[in-house]
């Protein structure tokens, strides 16, 4: 099968012809139609897991995908041959990922039936980013009447967080340049602030002089997090997906800090499917590229500034 893999950590991802995996007991073989690109993919390729997981090479990259159940292993009952599914298909300890014509996933793992009427390239963009956004909003305990700042709002996780925080009843402030401000408002943001136009704290406090209730931060480093946390009212929450907060330090100030790592699950994917079916969550695909251009797409993602999801057509 065709797959995008690396021969060692730090190597340039390349198109390879590798054996098709075979499903064992409790496993599902998926014929992948589209794969979603995440920053985690290039981080793994560069060696993010080298000290924690014994990874075989060549290592097929990719986590998210959507496709059709090709074959079910012994004991599988939840999904059947021919069903359209989406999920997180990475098995890095076996050298397997979603940037391939076929991928494996456990039946009790992060896989679910695709939302009604959704096409493969959209479904492939959902699992990691949207599951992270949903779990973040849960973790932040967003509620009606709160004011929430979403930092990194134009990326895949950020766009989901804007929609879900708004749906929870919060007033949402999204970071966005002028050319994305309209998109953010259509997704549910009440206001936008532009980091390139000056200090974010000053812009937010100009409208919310008494502070805000939560920050959902997908991009900030420790220095920027320490600055932005000054916006929080007593009892406020700061959640970082880049692990840029010190929870003990925030607790000493009467605040709650969470370094958050999203992990898709069947339960989260089922919830997302219901939200998408109900029109309560939209997934914006910024770019579709063929599998052969995965290396270039990963390099572009590493530069940052995403305005939606990039999807590989298998």
């Amino acid at each position: 099968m065709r797959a995008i893999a690396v021969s060692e950590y730090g190597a340039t991802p390349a198109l390879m012809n590798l054996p098709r995996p075979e499903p064992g007991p409790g496993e599902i073989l998926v014929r992948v139609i589209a794969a979603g690109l995440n920053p985690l993919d290039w981080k793994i390729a560069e060696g993010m897991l080298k000290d924690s997981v014994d990874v075989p090479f060549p290592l097929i990259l990719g986590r998210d995908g959507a496709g059709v159940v090709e074959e079910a292993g012994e004991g599988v009952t939840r999904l059947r041959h021919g069903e359209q599914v989406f999920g997180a298909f990475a098995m890095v300890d076996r050298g397997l990922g979603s940037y391939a014509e076929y991928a494996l996933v456990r039946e009790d793992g992060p896989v679910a039936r695709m939302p009604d009427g959704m096409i493969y390239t959209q479904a492939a963009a959902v699992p990691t980013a949207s599951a992270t956004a949903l779990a973040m909003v849960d973790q932040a305990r967003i509620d009606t009447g709160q004011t929430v700042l979403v930092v990194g709002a134009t990326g895949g996780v950020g766009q989901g967080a804007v929609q879900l925080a708004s749906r929870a009843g919060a007033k949402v402030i999204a970071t966005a340049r002028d050319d994305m401000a309209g998109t953010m408002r259509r997704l549910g943001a009440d206001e936008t602030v532009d980091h390139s136009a000056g200090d974010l704290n000053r812009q937010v406090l100009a409208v919310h002089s008494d502070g805000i209730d939560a920050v959902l931060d997908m991009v900030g480093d420790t220095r920027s997090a320490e600055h932005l946390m000054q916006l929080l009212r007593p009892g406020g929450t700061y959640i970082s997906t880049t692990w840029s907060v010190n929870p003990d330090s925030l607790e000493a100030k009467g605040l709650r800090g969470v370094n958050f790592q999203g992990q898709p699950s069947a339960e989260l994917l089922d919830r997302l499917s219901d939200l998408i079916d109900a029109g309560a969550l939209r997934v914006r695909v910024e770019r579709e590229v063929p599998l052969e251009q995965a290396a270039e797409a990963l390099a572009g993602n590493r530069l940052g500034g995403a305005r939606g999801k990039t999807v590989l057509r298998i």
Side-chain angles (χ1 to χ4, degrees), residues 4-29:
I4 297 293
V6 290
S7 55
E8 62 181 353
Y9 285 132
T12 300
L15 183 67
M16 300 183 187
N17 188 16
L18 299 173
R20 191 187 88 164
E22 297 298 327
E27 295 178 346
I28 298 164
L29 179 69

Side-chain angles (χ1 to χ4, degrees), residues 12-199:
T12 300
L15 183 67
M16 300 183 187
N17 188 16
L18 299 173
R20 191 187 88 164
E22 297 298 327
E27 295 178 346
I28 298 164
L29 179 69
V30 177
R31 178 167 58 86
V32 184
I33 307 296
L37 189 151
N38 294 291
L40 181 64
D41 302 342
W42 57 260
K43 292 177 182 178
I44 288 175
E46 292 185 353
M48 174 184 181
L49 302 178
K50 65 181 179 181
D51 295 327
S52 57
V53 180
D54 187 12
V55 174
F57 292 98
L59 169 64
I60 299 173
L61 302 180
R63 188 185 200 197
D64 291 352
V68 179
V69 175
E70 181 79 5
E71 188 179 338
E74 180 183 350
V76 172
T77 58
R78 186 164 70 92
L79 296 166
R80 302 187 306 274
H81 173 78
E83 287 194 292
Q84 297 177 314
V85 295
F86 72 126
F89 302 149
M91 291 185 172
V92 293
D93 58 328
R94 291 162 63 177
L96 301 175
S98 64
Y99 292 7
E101 292 179 305
Y102 294 92
L104 287 180
V105 64
R106 291 197 56 79
E107 179 191 30
D108 58 359
V111 61
R113 293 177 181 85
M114 278 174 48
D116 292 339
M118 196 169 220
I119 61 176
Y120 292 109
T121 48
Q122 290 177 315
V126 171
T128 295
S130 297
T132 298
L134 180 57
M136 281 184 75
V137 171
D138 287 347
Q139 182 76 257
R141 305 167 193 163
I142 303 301
D143 205 354
T144 301
Q146 292 186 337
T147 301
V148 178
L149 173 65
V150 180
V151 184
T154 60
V157 179
Q159 291 189 25
V162 167
Q163 295 175 75
L164 295 167
S166 176
R167 183 175 182 274
K171 175 176 286 188
V172 178
I173 309 166
T175 59
R177 294 178 185 268
D178 287 345
D179 59 343
M180 282 292 289
T183 297
M184 290 296 98
R185 290 183 181 275
R186 286 190 291 273
L187 291 178
D190 298 277
E191 306 165 23
T192 61
V193 289
D194 182 354
H195 68 278
S196 68
D199 181 62

Side-chain angles (χ1 to χ4, degrees), residues 208-291:
H208 305 277
S209 58
D210 58 344
I212 61 176
D213 301 288
V215 177
L216 307 182
D217 187 355
M218 272 61 70
V219 297
D221 57 17
T222 300
R223 182 177 178 181
S224 66
E226 289 177 349
H227 184 58
L228 287 170
M229 67 180 62
Q230 297 173 28
L231 292 170
L232 293 172
R233 300 179 182 127
T237 298
Y238 198 115
I239 298 188
S240 167
T241 62
T242 55
W243 288 63
S244 297
V245 300
N246 183 327
D248 293 336
S249 176
L250 267 73
E251 184 177 7
K253 299 175 182 177
L255 305 171
R256 187 166 69 100
V258 179
N259 289 311
F260 185 81
Q261 182 172 335
Q263 181 62 45
S265 66
E267 184 268 335
L268 282 173
L269 292 174
D270 283 337
R271 286 176 62 191
L272 290 169
S273 186
D274 290 342
L275 288 166
I276 291 167
D277 285 341
L281 177 66
R282 288 176 284 168
V283 179
R284 184 173 184 266
V285 176
E286 178 186 17
R287 185 183 177 204
E288 294 182 22
V289 299
L291 181 65

